[in-house]
Amino acid sequence: KAPDNLPTVKAAKAFFKQMNLFERKVLKNPKTNDQEAKVIYAKALDLLDEYLDLVELPPTESGHYDQEFSTLVGETSRIT
């Protein structure tokens, strides 16, 4: 079990907590154009970017996650 005081663990837990809040919000009472859900989701993306920075991965708005990645082992070991 990873120590809870590591910055990466704290960041991941904060992101998961925010996503759980978002999931409960949209599943419990789904609405079209729910502004509160949008705010919660935006906060979750910010928390995800903090986590990605800590683990030295590109941020969500970098465009790296818009492309399809191969799951074949050994094809490439780097995000390009």
Side-chain angles (χ1 to χ4, degrees):
K1 180 178 174 183
D4 289 340
N5 60 347
L6 287 175
T8 52
V9 174
K10 287 181 182 180
K13 284 186 173 189
F15 169 70
F16 294 137
K17 182 178 178 181
Q18 195 70 17
M19 285 306 295
N20 286 338
L21 181 64
F22 174 74
E23 184 178 33
R24 284 193 304 269
K25 174 76 175 146
V26 297
L27 292 179
K28 182 179 177 183
N29 191 11
K31 298 177 187 174
T32 302
N33 203 15
D34 186 346
Q35 293 301 319
E36 186 179 349
K38 288 180 180 181
V39 169
I40 294 169
Y41 184 75
K43 174 67 175 165
L45 283 180
D46 289 342
L47 292 168
L48 178 58
D49 280 336
E50 289 177 27
Y51 171 77
L52 291 173
D53 183 53
L54 288 169
V55 295
E56 299 180 3
L57 288 172
T60 55
E61 70 272 359
S62 68
H64 284 92
Y65 305 106
D66 296 338
Q67 60 187 334
E68 187 174 333
F69 289 95
S70 173
T71 57
L72 299 176
V73 175
E75 184 174 333
T76 182
S77 61
R78 310 218 14 101
I79 295 176
T80 57

